[in-house]
Amino acid sequence: MQKLIIKGKRYLNGKILISGSKNATLPILAACILSNNIKLQNIPLVKDIFTMVELLEFIGLKVKIFKKQNTLEILNNGNKINTLAPYRLVKTMRAGVLVLGSLLTKYKKAKVSLPGGCAIGTRPVDLHLFALKKMGAKIKIKNGYIIAEAKKGLRGSTIKFPSISVGATENALLAAFNAKGKTILKNCAIEPEIRDLISFLIKLGANIKFSGRTITINESINKKLKANHEVMFDRIEAGTYLIASALVGERITIDRINPEIIKTEINTLKKIGVKIKKDKSSITILNSKYLKKINISTKPYPGFPTDLQAQLMVLLTQAEGTSKIKEDIFENRFMHVPELNRMGAKIETNNKIAIINGPTKLTGAEVMATDLRASVSLVLAGLVAENRTVINRIYHLDRGYELLEKKLKSCKAEIRRV
Ligand code: EPZ
C-alpha cells in the first residue's frame, strides 16, 4: 500500500494546471455506448476513468488511450455487445451505474450491478430506477443486479424528480436519447458536468433544451455516429487547489479553468478573507494572513459543493472563530474529522453539523484516507501542519486527482509517494 509523506509549512509559489473533469468524463463515457466513433480530449488519467474504460470494453466497445495527449478514442462498431455491468467493476466505481440508461435506450435491455454503498453513504439508485420506469422500462432487482428491459423501446414521459440527484438526472438523460416522443425532466440537478454531458449528447444529434431545473429532450432522427468532444475542467480539483493556496500559498495561479463556473466557491473564499485575483481562464491567490469564520451548508449546484466540504473544513481550522459546516447532501461525509482532530484540529460533529474552532495549530501525524475527498483534505492539512504527515491508503486519492504530487511539488511543496 503506497503512502504520501508531506513536510508541512512550506510556502507555495507557482502555477497549477487543472485537469479535465472526472465527473464530466464518466457520464460522457457512458454516452459513448450510444455512438460509433468518438474522440474525447482533456481526459483526466485517474483510476475511475480507467475503471469506466474497462467497463466499456467489457460491454464490447473498443477504447484506445493516448496518455500523452490525455485523449481517448472509442469505437462501437456494433459487434458483440454484452449488456452487462458486473459487480466487480461497479462496486468500486459507482458511476458504472450510468451505463444503465445508455444500454436500455440502445439495446432495450441491461443487467447492471447495484453499486452498493461507499464510505460516504448508502448511495441508493431509487431515483434512477424511478425515472427509467416512468419511461416504460420493466425493472426487477435480483441477486444484487438491476435487470431492466424495454422490449418496445423507451417512451418519452414527464418525470419530476422528488429530490435532486446528479446521477439520476444523467441516467434519465442517457435513457431519453432514443426514447419515442418528448421527455421532460423536472427538478433536475444542474451541475456543470451535466451541461457538459448535454453538449456532448447534442453533438450526437440529440435535441435537448435546458431551462432552470427542467430539461426537455425531443425525439430526433438525425443521430450522428461520430463526434469529438473536449471535456470541461475539473471544478472540484480547482477548488481543492484554491484552498491549498489559501492555506500555504505565497502566490499561486490556478490555470485552465473557467472562473464563472466556480463563482460560489470564489465568493465563499473571499468571505473568509482569501485574496483572489480573477482572470479569464485562471485565478491567482495571494498570501492570505487573516481568515475569518463562516457558516455554510453544502447544496446542489450552484450551492457550495459537497465535494469541497472536507477541503473547506481544513481551511476553517485556520480561521479566527467558530465556523459551522452543514453537510446537506450525504449522510456520512465527516470521516476526515477524527483524522484532522488527531492532527490538532478542534472539530465537533453531531449528525449533519460540524463545528470548527479556530485558529488551531496542526501538527503532522500518521493518518488514514477513507474516501476521495476526505483523503485530499488530509493532504491539505499536511501542507499546513508542523513537521511530517504520513497519509495511508492513498489509492482513494488516485481515483480522482491526476498528478497531485507533481502539481504540488511544482509549487515547492515537500511531498513524496513511498
Ligand atoms: C455525484 O454523485 C458525484 N459523482 C459525487 O462526487 C458528488 O458528491 C454528488 O454527485 C453530489 O454532487 C459523480 O458525478 C461520478 P447524487 P451521485 O445522486 O450522482 C441521494 C466525488 O467525490 N440519492 O446527486 O451519486 C444520495 O444518497 C463524488 O467525485 C438518492 O437518495 O450523487 C445523496 O444523498 C462523490 N437516490 C443525494 O441524493 C438516488 O437514486 C445526492 O446524490 C440517487 C441519489
Side-chain angles (χ1 to χ4, degrees), residues 22-23 26 94-95 120 123-128 164-167 306-307 329-330 333 372-373:
K22 163 179 88 80
N23 290 352
L26 291 168
R94 299 183 60 270
I120 63 178
R123 311 298 295 273
V125 289
D126 55 305
L127 297 172
H128 299 233
I164 293 172
S165 157
V166 170
T306 173
D307 290 351
I329 306 285
F330 286 107
R333 203 167 196 178
L372 170 56
R373 307 303 174 183

Side-chain angles (χ1 to χ4, degrees), residues 327-394:
E327 173 49 61
D328 245 350
I329 306 285
F330 286 107
E331 66 265 30
N332 182 29
R333 203 167 196 178
F334 286 146
M335 259 98 41
H336 43 288
V337 170
E339 296 304 283
L340 293 177
N341 284 343
R342 292 183 53 244
M343 294 176 73
K346 288 189 178 47
I347 308 167
E348 297 128 49
T349 59
N350 61 20
N351 197 357
K352 292 180 162 247
I353 307 254
I355 313 274
I356 303 108
N357 300 298
T360 49
K361 189 162 78 67
L362 300 184
T363 51
E366 176 135 17
V367 289
M368 189 176 76
T370 47
D371 67 271
L372 170 56
R373 307 303 174 183
S375 40
V376 87
S377 78
L378 300 176
V379 173
L380 299 182
L383 291 173
V384 73
E386 306 263 329
N387 311 324
R388 199 174 87 128
T389 297
V390 179
I391 304 175
N392 294 293
R393 298 192 182 182
I394 55 170

Side-chain angles (χ1 to χ4, degrees), residues 302-322:
F304 191 85
T306 173
D307 290 351
L308 277 179
Q309 175 257 105
Q311 299 90 315
L312 180 71
M313 196 181 279
V314 178
L315 184 62
L316 293 175
T317 65
Q318 304 307 303
E320 188 72 38
T322 301

Side-chain angles (χ1 to χ4, degrees), residues 27 33 35-36 56 127 142 150 163 173 188 244 260 275 292 301 309 332 389 396:
I33 292 171
S35 181
N36 281 23
L56 293 186
L127 297 172
K142 207 159 152 249
S163 66
L173 264 169
C188 293
E260 281 315 297
K275 293 199 198 69
K292 302 187 292 287
Y301 195 87
Q309 175 257 105
N332 182 29
T389 297
H396 290 291

Side-chain angles (χ1 to χ4, degrees), residues 108-129:
K108 301 186 169 49
K109 66 185 171 92
K111 181 176 175 187
V112 173
S113 169
L114 279 167
C118 71
I120 63 178
T122 51
R123 311 298 295 273
V125 289
D126 55 305
L127 297 172
H128 299 233
L129 304 184

